[in-house]
Amino acid sequence: MSFLSSRIWAAQQVCRSINNAKGLFFLALMLASLTLTIPVFIASAIYSLSEPLRAVPVVPQITVFSEQNITKAEMDNLLARIKRHAHVMDVSVIPKEKAYEDLNANLGIKKNKTDKNANPLPDLVIVTLSHEMTQAEIEKTATSIEKLNGVDLVAYDSTWVAKLEAISHGIVSLGIIMGIITLSLVVLVVAASVRLAADAQKTELNMLYLFGASTSFTIRPYAWRGVLTMGLAAVISIALSKWALDSFNQALLAIGQQYGTTISVNLLPIEFNIAFVAFCAVLGGLVASIMTQRAIARIEKQG
């Protein structure tokens, strides 16, 4: 059989098997769709609600208080030595006049224009570090900078890094657990569907085996059916999630009105959805191929 004709036959077999067992196919399709809807809905909601947090630059910073009477040459030398530290991404200077002006503005204090020597603040150096640094590395860098000439003291808060790492680890762990549960359910649904289809067409599998059909030729219709089932299930799950998110937005709109803001959740970006459909389709084909291969192995053993 030629390359094209073998694939035409496989497509015809897929259509024939679905037509002969419509109930089984649609049951497997809806079970897989509902199973996939749960992670799609949760991932979309979390992604949308976390968008304001993702827009905030989460990079650690160290505020360096220079000595009061530091000269420009000494400041330039200090900045150069700070930049030599590993993981230092950026260094900026806030002159003491600007720092004092901002402080008074925040406290609501009007500065006495006749008192030009009232500023007790030194020049400030804002050191921006790499976002990949751990809490221990931040503390080590801050201690090293504090020992430099021209530095009076440093101020930083590295505890939020540890808290962020703990929260991120918890979210990742939860995502992995949900992913494993979802994949397990999907695999069981596809495996059961293929197993029932193979049992229903056991006579056909026996005939193909007796006629010497290759394993790939025999598996192809079942693999394509798995691809079709899971690909359609992924598309349906996205559609169901869109409907659920629209309904959820109505409740969020009412909540937002009470606080004078707007809250909404949307589906993941289109590239994520395309990748999700492709992944599910490949997974369906893979599981179906494995289950059909096992069915063929049983026939060979009996033969």
Side-chain angles (χ1 to χ4, degrees), residues 176-302:
I176 292 174
I177 293 172
M178 287 192 58
I180 292 174
I181 294 174
T182 301
L183 286 177
S184 300
L185 290 173
V186 167
V187 168
L188 289 175
V189 169
V190 176
S193 174
V194 173
R195 175 68 180 273
L196 291 174
D199 289 343
Q201 296 177 299
K202 189 174 181 179
T203 302
E204 182 178 284
L205 288 176
N206 282 319
M207 293 297 294
L208 290 172
Y209 172 71
L210 291 175
F211 288 141
S214 65
T215 302
S216 61
F217 181 86
T218 306
I219 289 176
R220 188 175 293 118
Y222 298 94
W224 286 10
R225 176 173 172 159
V227 170
L228 179 64
T229 301
M230 287 307 301
L232 285 176
V235 173
I236 294 173
S237 70
I238 293 173
L240 290 175
S241 297
K242 179 66 169 63
W243 173 79
L245 289 171
D246 289 342
S247 301
F248 189 40
N249 277 330
Q250 298 299 319
L252 291 178
L253 179 63
I255 296 174
Q257 289 176 347
Q258 301 298 321
Y259 295 92
T261 186
T262 301
I263 306 173
S264 64
V265 291
N266 302 291
L267 285 174
L268 293 171
I270 184 65
E271 57 270 20
F272 286 93
N273 292 324
I274 293 175
F276 177 70
V277 173
F279 171 78
C280 290
V282 172
L283 178 64
L286 180 61
V287 174
S289 299
I290 294 173
M291 294 303 299
T292 308
Q293 176 65 51
R294 294 184 61 184
I296 296 173
R298 286 195 300 270
I299 294 174
E300 292 175 345
K301 186 177 180 180
Q302 293 172 0

Side-chain angles (χ1 to χ4, degrees), residues 76-115:
D76 292 340
N77 181 61
L78 174 61
L79 295 178
R81 297 185 67 182
I82 291 176
K83 291 179 180 178
R84 293 194 195 108
H85 284 78
H87 305 298
V88 172
M89 306 302 295
D90 186 45
V91 176
S92 60
V93 179
I94 301 178
K96 57 184 178 181
E97 293 80 11
K98 173 65 175 173
Y100 190 54
E101 180 182 342
D102 292 343
L103 177 63
N104 287 334
N106 292 331
L107 296 178
I109 301 174
K110 294 184 177 180
K111 181 181 177 182
N112 188 351
K113 296 182 179 180
T114 61
D115 188 4

